[in-house]
Amino acid sequence: RHASKQESKRTRKRSQRSSKMDSGGYKERVFPANEKNFGATHGLYFIFYLLENVTTVVPLLCALPALGLTYLLGGGVFQLIALTVAIPVCAVLFFALGLVVLSHKEYPNAPCDWTKYIDIKDAKLASAWEGKKIPIAVFVENYMNQKIEFVQDPIQVFWKRHEIFRFCFTLEHVKFFVLKFTGQLIHHSQSADSAEVRDVYDRSNNFYNWFLGPRMIYTSGVFESQEESLEVAQDRKMDLVCRYSHMKPGMDHLDIGCGWGTLVCYAAKHFGTRSTGVTLAREQVKWGYNQAKEIYGVEENVKFLCMDYRDIPKKQYDVITCLEMIEHVGIKNFQSFLLQCKDMLKDEGIFYLQLAGLRRCWQFEDLCWGVFMGTYIFPAADASCPLGFCVTQAERAGYEVHRVENCGVHYALTINYWLNNWISNKSKVIDDFGEWWYRCWIIFLAWSTIVASQGSSTVFFVTLHKNTTKFERRDNFVTAYPIATQS
């Protein structure tokens, strides 16, 4: 009877919590008529292999058939070079055009009345899509360019998106793959990464403060209630990271991709660490030093390095944390980054790695969102991969995976708060940056709330240590609250 009462109590709590997560239409959300997952074959991991070896294996795979064709055609050096270049270009085109064909088959033309959700101001555009579902890319581009307006709240429209949008690839997506994404995959040099990342995060601290809020943390909080404030959830998250990492007073802590330095300052203040943050953005360093002094009072125990991760001075740390920076490292450099971190980690040290990635069995909406993010929000973050890729790479590098936790739904709540913050600062954003940037971030935050809610992309908290026989597992992991539970 007691067990039955407890279960009934837990059921009521779950019901109460789910009823409260009605962020602009959550309970009335619309699902696709036929939900079909792709990506169940081994093809994805073959692509990962090629991208990891893009400067060795890929040129060889292109040169060998080019050499054979040149020989059969009786050509010379010029023809060999032309074929060697043409083969990968044609492969990328074939892949991208294949996505166009398959996605249009999955999302064919269908009638709909979009007038109760959006208002198309451009007469020619309205006539072209009258009574028909609109490709999501067409809607996004035209909304950002003020040719389309939301009739309802943006997130309400996105919860009903399957009634009015088609998640099919367009020729614009093909251009992205051929002209931009392929180059990002191949390069990931220090100069290329600096140009991509620094331009994004040095935009303005005000720009980010207007949606991130006072903590200036560009990652998920952890909520115990759907009514908790963003700040409470972010403080809990930082506490969890520090405890997952077994931080103790006097430890040397390195945070790679530290953002505005909030975790660095928090660890130094509440766990007594000597913390170092690394970022490419000069504006983030300024903010970090300011809050270390003015808010946390730990300026003597923290420092910030404005540099590429490949230039981090060689030193060993008790704890290394890396929260959603590894995606920018790229598939090409993923393994070398993990090995670099292993060299900088003491034998008894803990490496806390947090990464966001698309799901393994994907849907076309996932890819459409991913292309939008890669184009406008997080350029060159091609290592936003499924969990299996990360775990395999970590084990290859000589780590043992101690803990993995999926916190995507917490990210959904976090982004929903960011959306509300952004809307509340609309006039400031438009005054300083213009209508286009305001609208771009509306799409980013509204759509990403949905994406994180439904598992299209999620975030994993991963705790790693060196996989050696002498690592002290008993004393480290047989402690209070050894396993996370949720009910």
Side-chain angles (χ1 to χ4, degrees), residues 458-476:
T458 193
V459 64
F460 294 101
F461 301 174
V462 185
T463 308
L464 306 167
H465 61 80
K466 291 183 179 181
N467 194 355
T468 60
T469 53
K470 64 181 181 180
F471 182 86
E472 183 49 63
R473 291 166 176 80
R474 288 191 181 188
D475 290 348
N476 271 307

Side-chain angles (χ1 to χ4, degrees), residues 406-444:
N406 184 330
C407 286
V409 70
H410 295 272
Y411 224 148
L413 292 172
T414 302
I415 301 170
N416 207 155
Y417 269 112
W418 293 347
L419 175 63
N420 295 338
N421 290 343
W422 188 249
I423 291 172
S424 70
N425 287 299
K426 178 179 179 179
S427 60
K428 295 177 184 177
V429 176
I430 293 175
D431 286 346
D432 281 13
F433 295 94
E435 186 81 27
W436 190 92
W437 280 107
Y438 175 75
R439 289 170 175 254
C440 181
W441 246 245
I442 286 289
I443 297 292
F444 158 43

Side-chain angles (χ1 to χ4, degrees), residues 86-99:
I87 287 171
V89 171
C90 290
V92 172
L93 272 173
F94 178 80
F95 173 78
L97 290 171
L99 290 176

Side-chain angles (χ1 to χ4, degrees), residues 42 82 164 294 426:
H42 295 291
I164 55 176
E294 301 296 332
K426 178 179 179 179

Side-chain angles (χ1 to χ4, degrees), residues 139-419:
F139 164 73
V140 166
E141 289 296 326
N142 285 283
Y143 169 73
M144 292 193 299
N145 289 302
Q146 302 182 55
K147 294 181 179 180
I148 298 178
E149 301 290 343
F150 284 106
V151 173
Q152 299 182 21
D153 185 274
I155 200 165
Q156 288 181 324
V157 174
F158 268 98
W159 284 123
K160 302 288 183 67
R161 65 203 180 283
H162 289 290
E163 289 188 357
I164 55 176
F165 300 135
R166 297 165 59 206
F167 294 95
C168 52
F169 271 57
T170 66
L171 292 180
E172 289 300 313
H173 291 119
V174 175
K175 283 170 60 178
F176 169 79
F177 272 102
V178 175
L179 301 179
K180 186 172 183 179
F181 192 58
T182 304
Q184 292 173 345
L185 291 170
I186 293 171
H187 293 130
H188 274 297
S189 63
Q190 288 189 232
S191 58
D193 287 348
S194 292
E196 293 275 14
V197 175
R198 187 167 278 158
D199 180 60
V200 171
Y201 294 109
D202 273 339
R203 183 172 300 139
S204 164
N205 286 334
N206 281 340
F207 184 93
Y208 288 94
N209 186 238
W210 286 330
F211 71 94
L212 296 180
R215 294 294 186 273
M216 289 292 276
I217 300 174
Y218 207 175
T219 182
S220 171
V222 174
F223 294 81
E224 288 186 358
S225 161
Q226 293 173 29
E227 278 63 56
E228 279 188 328
S229 71
L230 176 61
E231 289 69 41
V232 168
Q234 295 286 27
D235 288 346
R236 179 182 295 110
K237 162 65 174 301
M238 289 189 290
D239 183 69
L240 278 174
V241 171
C242 294
R243 289 194 288 116
Y244 279 175
S245 306
H246 295 189
M247 291 186 187
K248 295 179 178 63
M251 282 187 169
D252 289 318
H253 162 223
L254 175 67
D255 188 26
I256 307 175
C258 67
W260 290 266
T262 311
L263 176 60
V264 168
C265 297
Y266 186 94
K269 181 175 178 66
H270 296 284
F271 288 82
T273 58
R274 296 186 296 267
S275 294
T276 301
V278 180
T279 175
L280 278 169
R282 301 178 186 92
E283 290 295 310
Q284 291 182 333
V285 169
K286 292 177 187 176
W287 186 283
Y289 274 123
N290 182 68
Q291 69 170 333
K293 181 179 181 180
E294 301 296 332
I295 299 175
Y296 290 91
V298 293
E299 64 271 23
E300 298 298 323
N301 290 324
V302 304
K303 65 178 177 179
F304 295 96
L305 306 175
C306 189
M307 61 177 57
D308 188 277
Y309 71 89
R310 284 158 282 207
D311 293 329
I312 297 173
K314 290 185 178 180
K315 174 185 172 180
Q316 287 203 313
Y317 294 86
D318 300 286
V319 173
I320 297 177
T321 54
C322 179
L323 282 67
E324 295 176 55
M325 171 271 181
I326 199 168
E327 297 91 333
H328 291 286
V329 165
I331 294 172
K332 174 188 170 187
N333 297 328
F334 207 95
Q335 183 66 197
S336 59
F337 174 77
L338 291 174
L339 290 171
Q340 178 187 353
C341 292
K342 185 182 171 188
D343 288 340
M344 294 190 294
L345 187 66
K346 292 181 180 178
D347 288 345
E348 288 295 317
I350 298 292
F351 180 20
Y352 173 86
L353 178 63
Q354 183 175 310
L355 69 152
L358 294 171
R359 55 184 161 188
R360 175 70 171 82
C361 283
W362 49 270
Q363 297 176 25
F364 277 106
E365 181 182 6
D366 308 354
L367 297 189
C368 290
W369 174 81
V371 171
F372 168 79
M373 296 292 283
T375 303
Y376 299 111
I377 312 300
F378 295 122
D382 57 273
S384 303
C385 299
L387 176 65
F389 172 79
C390 173
V391 170
T392 299
Q393 290 283 334
E395 291 179 335
R396 274 181 59 197
Y399 293 97
E400 181 176 309
V401 181
H402 171 68
R403 178 191 284 109
V404 177
E405 188 160 359
N406 184 330
C407 286
V409 70
H410 295 272
Y411 224 148
L413 292 172
T414 302
I415 301 170
N416 207 155
Y417 269 112
W418 293 347
L419 175 63

